[in-house]
Amino acid sequence: MKFPTLTIGRFTPKYPIIQGGMAVRVSTAPLAGAVAEAGGIGVIGATGMEEDELRNEIREARKIAPKGIIGINIMYAAREFAKIVRTAIEEKIDIIFTGAGFSRDIFAWGKESDTPIVSIVSSAKVAKMAEKLGAAAVVAEGTEAGGHLGTDRSIKEIFPEIKEAVKIPVIAAGGIVDGKGIAEMIRLGADGVQMATRFVMSVECAVSDAFKKLYLNSTAEDVVKIQSPVGLPGRALKNSLVSRIFSGNAPEPENCVGCLKHCSQSFCIMDALMNSRNGNIKDGLVFCGQNVHRIKDILPVRAIFDRLIAEFSNA
C-alpha cells in the first residue's frame, strides 16, 4: 500500500499526515515545526493565544521548517476568532484548520488571501456546506477524537458518508495512533489523516512531563467524556478535576476574561487546560483521544514518522 497524495490548496506534503492543532499551548512551534520538517503538516493550536504570541509561534515554526507546511487550528467558539485568523493570514500561514462551531466569514477571508481553509466536521451535511462555501478540504472527525467532540458516532461510520458527500479531499481523524490505523482509514478512502494524541507523546510537544506521564500510565478505563463550558462534550483522562466536574463541584471561574463567545461558566476551561499543560495535573484538564492507552513511549517527531511509515507499509 502506498500513501495517497494529499493536496490542500497549493500545498502537497510529502506524507498525508496532519498533526492536530491542540489548544491551549499544547501544539506550539517546536512540535509544528518538527512535523512540517518531517514531511507532514504541522499545526499550531492558536486558541488562547494573543496576536503577538501567535506571530512569534508562526515565525519560530518557520525557522525550524523553512520549506515545510505550517498551519494553525482555531476554535470558532473563541471570542477572538476573527482577530486570530486575520493575524495568521498576515503572517502568511499556509493553511487554517477550524472547528468547534462553524464560520461562514472565514472562507471569504481565505479567498482574499489565497489561504486554504479546512473545516473540521462530523457530518456530511456540514461537510457539504463547507465545500459550497469554499473549503479546500475537510477533516472528518469521529467520536474517538480528543478534546471537543462534534459527534457520538465513530469515524468508521461517518467517514464514508462524508467522503460520498463532497468532491474535495477528506482527511480522517479520531483515535488514529499508529500506521495500522492510518492504513485502515486510507482503505476507507481517506486522502490523509489527522493525528493529535500520538504527537503529544513526542519530545517536541510543549506539555509538562506530568501531562505526558498521565498519558503513559493511562488505561482504556481512564478515558472519559466531560461536558465542557464551550457547550460540547470533551474527551479527557480521569483525575481530581474530572471527579469534581462529575460531582458538580468544579471550581468556579475566577477573573473571567470572556475568552469564549458562549460559556456555561461551570469551570474555567482555559485555566484547566493551562494547569495540566504546565504540570498542575490535579487541577488540570488532560484532553486525549480514545486510544491514548495504546501509546507507550515518548519519541522525537522524526522517530514517530519513521515508525508510522514502517507500520503503514506493513499493514
Side-chain angles (χ1 to χ4, degrees), residues 55-74:
R55 289 184 194 281
N56 183 62
E57 291 292 331
I58 293 170
R59 292 172 188 179
E60 289 300 312
R62 291 268 185 235
K63 289 177 186 176
I64 297 167
K67 295 182 180 179
I69 303 171
I70 305 290
I72 67 155
N73 178 296
I74 177 67

Side-chain angles (χ1 to χ4, degrees), residues 117-132:
I117 306 299
V118 179
S119 296
I120 301 170
V121 304
S122 295
S123 72
K125 179 181 178 181
V126 180
K128 287 170 74 172
M129 189 189 312
E131 180 182 44
K132 185 178 179 181

Side-chain angles (χ1 to χ4, degrees), residues 47-117:
T47 303
M49 289 186 179
E50 299 290 339
E51 294 156 87
D52 288 345
E53 180 183 5
L54 179 58
R55 289 184 194 281
N56 183 62
E57 291 292 331
I58 293 170
R59 292 172 188 179
E60 289 300 312
R62 291 268 185 235
K63 289 177 186 176
I64 297 167
K67 295 182 180 179
I69 303 171
I70 305 290
I72 67 155
N73 178 296
I74 177 67
M75 288 181 11
Y76 179 63
R79 188 172 295 279
E80 300 297 339
F81 173 82
K83 195 177 291 185
I84 287 296
V85 171
R86 293 287 193 189
T87 299
I89 288 173
E90 287 170 13
E91 285 297 314
K92 296 183 169 38
I93 197 70
D94 295 327
I95 303 172
I96 296 175
F97 297 82
T98 180
F102 191 85
S103 166
R104 293 174 177 270
D105 295 333
I106 195 172
F107 299 102
W109 304 336
K111 188 175 181 180
E112 286 170 9
S113 58
D114 194 25
T115 307
I117 306 299

